[in-house]
Amino acid sequence: MSRYDPAQIEPKWQKAWDEAGVFVARHDPARPKYYVLEMFPYPSGRIHMGHVRNYTMGDVVARYKAAQGFSVLHPMGWDAFGMPAENAAIERGGHPKDWTYSNIADMRGQMKPLGLSIDWSREFATCDPEYYGQQQAMFLDMLAAGLIYRKAAMVNWDPVDMTVLANEQVIDGKGWRSNAPVERRELTQWFFKISDYSGELLAALDGLTHWPDKVRLMQANWIGKSRGLQFAFTTHGAPEGFDRLEVYTTRPDTLLGASFAAISPDHPLAKHLERHDPKVAAFVAQCRRGGTSAEAIETGEKLGLDTGITVLHPFDNDWQLPVYIANFVLMDYGTGAIFGCPAHDQRDFEFATRYGLPVPTVFVPEGVEDAPLAEAFVPMKSERVSYVRGFAGDRVQTGDEAVTAAIDTCEARGIGRGVTNYRLRDWGLSRQRYWGCPIPVIHCADCGVVPEKKENLPVRLPDDVTFDIPGNPLDRHPTWRNCVCPACGGAARRETDTMDTFVDSSWYYARFTAPHATTPTNAAEAAYWMNVDQYIGGVEHAILHLLYSRFFARAMHKTGHLPASAIEPFNALFTQGMVTHEIYKTTDAAGRPVYHLPEEVEDGRLRDGKPVEIIPSAKMSKSKKNVVDPMHIIAQFGADTARWFVMSDSPPERDVEWTASGAEASFKHLGRVWSLCSRIGEMAADHVGPGDDDVRRATARAVQEVSHGIETFAFNKAIAKLYEFTNTLWKADASTPVMKEAVRTLAQLMAPMVPHIAESIWNYQGGAGLCAQAPWPKADAALLVDDTVTLPIQINGKRRAEISVPKDMPASEVEKVALAHEDVVRFLAGQPVKKLIVVPGRIINVVI
RNA sequence: GCGGGUGUGGCGGAAUGGUAGACGCGGCAGACUCAAAAUCUGCUUCUGCAAGGAGUGUCGGUUCGAGUCCGACCACCCGUACCA
């Protein structure tokens, strides 16, 4: 066997796997299936180490499950729509489509050398008309099912780029690209009715037992359930049609602490007043300026305008409260109107202080006198407080009890009703962008909004567009908008908005089960392959992507595109950490920071000897130049080394720091395994090491421990066990057949992580067929138990000695042996033993 | 502010309440070599010549026994933020 040369063996085995069709997912009802999926990449053009780590994790699981006898689905595709392609077109000319497909070709070319067990026959990109056409078909079904609707909504509008921005794209009140102050605008947009599913999406989190608690908690907080009272104030002096003002509160027990009412600047009453009162118009405009008035939020300034309207307290019609328009009241939560209780809400307190409103106390901490407050007293829900202005139930109770009692009392008195509210808002999917899935609806002057006919799908994006003017090229295309109304046959115009790219990624996992079906999914394929058994991706998708996908699977079920069993599409979720690297920084003559690539730095200096400042490990980023190109690593060490490194050392959920020495060490270790394999039978005659039995036992233990490590996503521990096993074999003095067997097993255990070298070793040591198709080794249970055990002896909890005894020695015997041990005798120094604890097979503790 | 998480050698990290530091990096020493690299062998928590002593962010508690469980605190990281 020649030297370890990855450049030679890796392409060879990749070709062999390809030719044998090892990774083609087969719908085989006779076998259990396993669907492993990594979050598909955006085709930026280059893969990075994060991709390598992410896909290697999935690959380890996929290869392990395949060896266990599962029929494995492990696909790959491209999340290909989105702004970067348009930005590239704007900046460098060219077409988003060309840019995207050329990037996909580049990235596929970079991924293939990694030797991933991917079924490439299922590959697709979300910008393929074949894919987005099916997405449009589902849009029409969901529209018909009432899951999609149109409404006017306030949006973040970038006046320079002339598009709507998502909240995440607004930074300090400015557009992330244009840097122009963002405006609030009312636009008519399409929405998914995700809020219909708030309760269900929340409740079903409990069933996702194989998801990280962290992600479940983040989703629960995002959905934001609260229980409270909704009731109507009777207004006094309000315009016609506004004689009642609905408010929502989670603390109805504080109703007697009311001191004002406040409505959102976007509340219908505010809008009405705005039209008739210039002072109101000016105030409302001030609130809307600068996005969600980011400045006011940052300074926490509570601003209001007294409308002159009052409302009557529901308990006392002689008690009037002023109605303000206030900048801190949100239109899209509750009813867009509140009653203010300054004593027990910090915002209300600040507002009341600013505008000189009273601060009546409702309750005080148990055993404390009522006194003027310096800030709002907001107790924990479970904290017991004494009510001085309570109206329901006991005088001393917890918030939870008081709220429930207050809701009951109010309902009994005909004041409002108990209501459950959610923070989750409907998902606006319209984007004024070109490079996205066209929304398949038509606007007809006579018929209004009309869905496109399914036989006319896909509604294709036109290729002849330009990006020299800001805004949506579809809007100004000379002919694309023109179409025929599906209802009346008259001339009509297409919708020029496209879908949020989160729609594309909300169902791709289902499409992989039948990527070329002429319907969005195929019932038989979806029934066999769904759900995704193991989903792997970054925690940055913990809320949006995963929540949207959970909603979408339900919507797909409702429209007949997924079975009921697939409404929670991801059985298990794993969120992996990032690959990080040190940052190397110097400064130029003007004192500006200059960053340097890792390969430019040696021993803390640049090549010209200039010392660099080393900033500790951080996420790899192009701007900081702390990146390592996987292609360079593969060229230098091979794919197996890159794969081995990213799986070792750090637990997969944590960040791993890429270091040159670590990569080199991985390479050296693989070389050591290689030479171990080639030198079997060449042991020196006088060599004394573990013999046949020891090697057999070590092999059984390795099988057990590595399997367990892979199953529990403890890849770093599995790799540590493989090091240990290798070290044992390295020193072994076993007979050739035993060693060959052991090394073959070693190859199999390593194969999920480093499949190429494993294949070579397997082949060299006479393994049958391809290692990638060999069944996973089983540990011989008889070899896993040792005949003798080593027991540490503690004296008063400190380890002082150890004994080696037969495994089945009775405790009474063990006691005798332990007490007779010379070190024990010495430490006891004749003192009586107060207590003797023998934990069989574990430890002995002598208490004196 | 609120919610969650994490603190273990020089570093990444192991450890069902039962021998703290597996495994790897780095370091030191030795072998091979004219020499170096590569490779191999050994050592490597701190302190101490040793016996021993100390030790898992800090303080306290439960236990025969605590990195692990409980309470308080400190530090850092992540998420989220006017949600009534």
Side-chain angles (χ1 to χ4, degrees):
Chain A
M1 208 177 178
S2 50
R3 245 186 66 244
Y4 173 46
D5 179 11
Q8 195 257 317
I9 64 164
E10 291 183 355
K12 179 177 115 186
W13 292 118
Q14 285 162 18
K15 189 157 165 270
W17 297 327
D18 246 12
E19 282 167 1
V22 180
F23 308 133
V24 176
R26 290 186 178 81
H27 180 155
D28 176 359
R31 280 195 299 161
K33 66 87 192 182
Y34 196 89
Y35 183 1
V36 56
L37 182 67
E38 302 97 51
M39 291 179 185
F40 67 163
Y42 179 80
S44 62
R46 301 294 300 174
I47 65 164
H48 51 72
M49 275 302 168
H51 291 127
V52 175
R53 194 180 191 208
N54 191 195
Y55 305 139
T56 302
M57 280 179 202
D59 202 41
V60 169
V61 175
R63 286 175 178 271
Y64 175 74
K65 290 291 176 181
Q68 297 271 9
F70 289 87
S71 184
V72 169
L73 171 57
H74 185 210
M76 182 56 67
W78 311 95
D79 188 12
F81 273 136
M83 302 242 320
E86 276 186 66
N87 294 337
I90 293 165
E91 279 155 27
R92 290 162 238 163
H95 194 282
K97 184 174 165 182
D98 300 333
W99 184 85
T100 303
Y101 279 104
S102 130
N103 280 352
I104 288 173
D106 287 350
M107 284 180 79
R108 190 193 304 112
Q110 293 159 34
M111 280 169 71
K112 291 234 167 149
L114 286 169
L116 301 167
S117 65
I118 285 167
D119 179 358
W120 286 100
S121 72
R122 291 175 185 252
E123 175 191 358
F124 60 77
T126 55
C127 63
D128 296 342
E130 190 189 8
Y131 182 81
Y132 72 69
Q134 298 302 336
Q135 188 163 304
Q136 291 168 339
M138 280 198 296
F139 179 96
L140 296 178
D141 291 344
M142 291 178 187
L143 184 63
L147 290 160
I148 299 175
Y149 66 102
R150 238 161 86 90
K151 74 168 177 191
M154 296 304 270
V155 293
N156 304 305
W157 179 259
D158 186 320
V160 171
D161 279 355
M162 304 219 303
T163 187
V164 166
L165 296 179
N167 286 331
E168 305 79 57
Q169 294 165 339
V170 180
I171 298 154
D172 292 335
K174 292 176 180 162
W176 67 284
R177 232 182 65 80
S178 67
N179 210 28
V182 167
E183 296 169 5
R184 300 261 289 154
R185 262 203 195 185
E186 194 169 83
L187 275 189
T188 302
Q189 306 252 294
W190 289 98
F191 286 84
F192 283 112
K193 257 195 152 306
I194 189 171
S195 64
D196 273 4
Y197 290 83
S198 298
E200 195 187 324
L201 288 169
L202 180 68
L205 286 173
D206 285 341
L208 299 178
T209 50
H210 296 288
W211 281 40
D213 290 343
K214 180 192 167 96
V215 172
R216 293 196 288 171
L217 188 75
M218 281 165 73
Q219 291 216 354
N221 290 340
W222 188 263
I223 295 169
K225 182 179 180 171
S226 68
R227 176 82 185 156
L229 180 77
Q230 188 171 321
F231 68 95
F233 281 117
T234 304
T235 60
H236 184 80
E240 213 187 310
F242 293 100
D243 38 324
R244 286 159 63 80
L245 180 66
E246 287 275 343
V247 299
Y248 172 74
T249 175
T250 55
R251 290 307 297 255
D253 57 316
T254 65
L255 261 176
L256 291 171
S259 103
F260 63 93
I263 61 173
S264 163
D266 299 321
H267 192 277
L269 174 56
K271 284 186 180 166
H272 184 278
L273 296 172
E274 184 185 1
R275 286 196 289 275
H276 298 94
D277 185 340
K279 269 195 346 221
V280 174
F283 180 73
V284 168
Q286 184 195 342
C287 292
R288 277 187 200 142
R289 215 175 16 243
T292 20
S293 59
E295 208 177 317
I297 290 175
E298 220 154 276
T299 56
E301 230 178 340
K302 308 286 179 279
L303 300 176
L305 180 75
D306 193 343
T307 59
I309 301 168
T310 56
V311 290
L312 311 182
H313 195 281
F315 292 173
D316 179 358
N317 284 345
D318 293 332
W319 183 1
Q320 299 200 2
L321 304 169
V323 176
Y324 283 77
I325 299 170
N327 66 341
F328 65 89
V329 181
L330 306 174
M331 189 55 222
D332 41 26
Y333 187 77
T335 62
I338 60 157
F339 88 85
C341 174
H344 306 296
D345 181 291
Q346 188 55 29
R347 282 169 326 204
D348 296 350
F349 184 87
E350 286 167 29
F351 190 82
T353 309
R354 185 179 182 112
Y355 294 102
L357 298 162
V359 185
T361 308
V362 176
F363 46 70
V364 290
E366 208 178 345
V368 172
E369 288 290 305
D370 185 12
L373 296 165
E375 58 178 11
F377 168 49
V378 185
M380 304 281 185
K381 289 253 176 200
S382 56
E383 192 175 335
R384 295 181 69 81
V385 295
S386 306
Y387 280 77
V388 294
R389 283 192 185 82
F391 62 89
D394 295 334
R395 306 303 287 171
V396 177
Q397 54 189 343
T398 66
D400 270 341
E401 293 162 353
V403 168
T404 307
I407 291 173
D408 292 347
T409 309
C410 287
E411 281 182 340
R413 289 165 68 168
I415 299 165
R417 65 212 147 83
V419 163
T420 299
N421 253 328
Y422 296 93
R423 194 189 96 109
L424 183 64
R425 296 187 246 154
D426 279 337
W427 169 16
L429 66 106
S430 303
R431 296 290 181 273
Q432 293 66 44
R433 281 278 148 192
Y434 164 76
W435 194 230
C437 172
I439 295 174
V441 297
I442 287 158
H443 299 268
C444 172
D446 295 329
C447 312
V449 178
V450 186
E452 177 59 283
K453 288 182 181 165
K454 272 204 183 168
E455 58 260 38
N456 292 338
L457 300 183
V459 176
R460 283 173 185 267
L461 288 169
D463 286 337
D464 52 335
V465 286
T466 56
F467 294 89
D468 41 355
I469 312 168
N472 183 354
L474 293 177
D475 242 356
R476 52 171 195 269
H477 191 279
T479 55
W480 187 78
R481 311 181 53 154
N482 302 331
C483 64
V484 173
C485 170
C488 69
R493 319 198 88 187
R494 273 189 198 293
E495 166 102 25
T496 56
D497 283 357
T498 54
M499 295 185 206
D500 181 4
T501 55
F502 274 111
V503 181
D504 312 339
S505 55
S506 290
W507 73 286
Y508 76 107
Y509 50 86
R511 184 69 182 168
F512 274 134
T513 66
H516 305 299
T518 52
T519 46
T521 56
N522 170 288
E525 296 296 330
Y528 180 71
W529 290 113
M530 287 299 286
N531 295 336
V532 176
D533 292 280
Q534 182 66 60
Y535 198 32
I536 304 170
V539 73
E540 66 273 19
H541 296 111
I543 296 173
L544 294 182
H545 163 61
L546 289 165
L547 191 63
Y548 291 155
S549 293
R550 295 179 61 220
F551 160 70
F552 222 81
R554 285 169 168 78
M556 285 175 76
H557 168 58
K558 188 168 180 189
T559 49
H561 296 298
L562 276 180
S565 54
I567 59 169
E568 280 299 342
F570 311 122
N571 287 351
L573 172 70
F574 189 87
T575 53
Q576 97 277 7
M578 294 181 300
V579 181
T580 64
H581 200 287
E582 289 177 332
I583 296 171
Y584 306 111
K585 187 176 124 183
T586 57
T587 44
D588 67 9
R592 284 182 300 254
V594 181
Y595 296 100
H596 303 277
L597 291 167
E599 53 262 38
E600 296 166 17
V601 179
E602 203 168 317
D603 291 331
R605 286 171 188 279
L606 297 179
R607 265 179 218 116
D608 61 9
K610 187 176 184 182
V612 296
E613 183 189 346
I614 297 176
I615 299 167
S617 210
K619 179 181 180 167
M620 286 191 180
S621 97
K622 273 185 203 138
S623 63
K624 296 289 193 314
K625 287 199 172 182
N626 61 334
V627 288
V628 175
D629 187 336
M631 292 303 103
H632 292 168
I633 301 302
I634 290 176
Q636 197 180 353
F637 298 117
D640 280 343
T641 292
R643 295 171 57 122
W644 186 259
F645 180 83
V646 292
M647 300 302 279
S648 46
D649 287 345
S650 281
E653 67 276 13
R654 245 185 266 182
D655 293 349
V656 64
E657 185 184 46
W658 183 277
T659 60
S661 58
E664 212 165 300
S666 296
F667 179 70
K668 281 182 190 172
H669 175 72
L670 296 182
R672 202 164 124 103
V673 175
W674 185 273
S675 52
L676 167 71
C677 168
S678 49
R679 70 175 203 182
I680 291 174
E682 297 169 17
M683 293 293 175
D686 59 348
H687 184 265
V688 178
D692 281 8
D693 284 354
D694 297 316
V695 167
R696 285 202 192 94
R697 260 198 294 276
T699 306
R701 245 195 339 270
V703 170
Q704 162 122 346
E705 286 170 344
V706 172
S707 307
H708 183 252
I710 292 175
E711 266 162 29
T712 56
F713 264 73
F715 304 124
N716 57 324
K717 284 186 256 173
I719 284 184
K721 295 300 174 193
L722 285 166
Y723 270 104
E724 233 170 316
F725 184 36
T726 306
N727 289 342
T728 304
L729 295 184
W730 190 262
K731 290 176 187 147
D733 193 17
S735 65
T736 301
V738 170
M739 280 301 285
K740 275 180 167 294
E741 178 70 38
V743 168
R744 272 207 304 273
T745 304
L746 173 64
Q748 282 189 283
L749 296 178
M750 290 173 74
M753 292 71 135
V754 284
H756 310 91
I757 188 174
E759 203 70 72
S760 284
I761 293 170
W762 175 260
N763 182 262
Y764 185 77
Q765 292 300 348
L770 287 166
C771 183
Q773 288 179 306
W776 194 250
K778 286 195 172 60
D780 182 345
L783 292 173
L784 290 172
V785 283
D786 284 321
D787 305 338
T788 59
V789 287
T790 304
L791 297 179
I793 303 171
Q794 294 183 334
I795 293 171
N796 286 343
K798 277 203 181 299
R799 182 180 167 280
R800 295 297 184 187
E802 64 179 36
I803 52 171
S804 198
V805 297
K807 189 186 176 351
D808 48 7
M809 182 185 263
S812 55
E813 279 298 305
V814 174
E815 280 179 23
K816 272 185 217 157
V817 177
L819 290 175
H821 193 282
E822 57 173 330
D823 289 345
V824 175
V825 171
R826 184 160 56 84
F827 271 100
L828 289 182
Q831 295 175 77
V833 173
K834 279 196 201 137
K835 198 167 175 183
L836 189 61
I837 289 133
V838 178
V839 184
R842 273 280 168 212
I843 204 164
I844 300 151
N845 194 8
V846 185
V847 185
I848 54 177

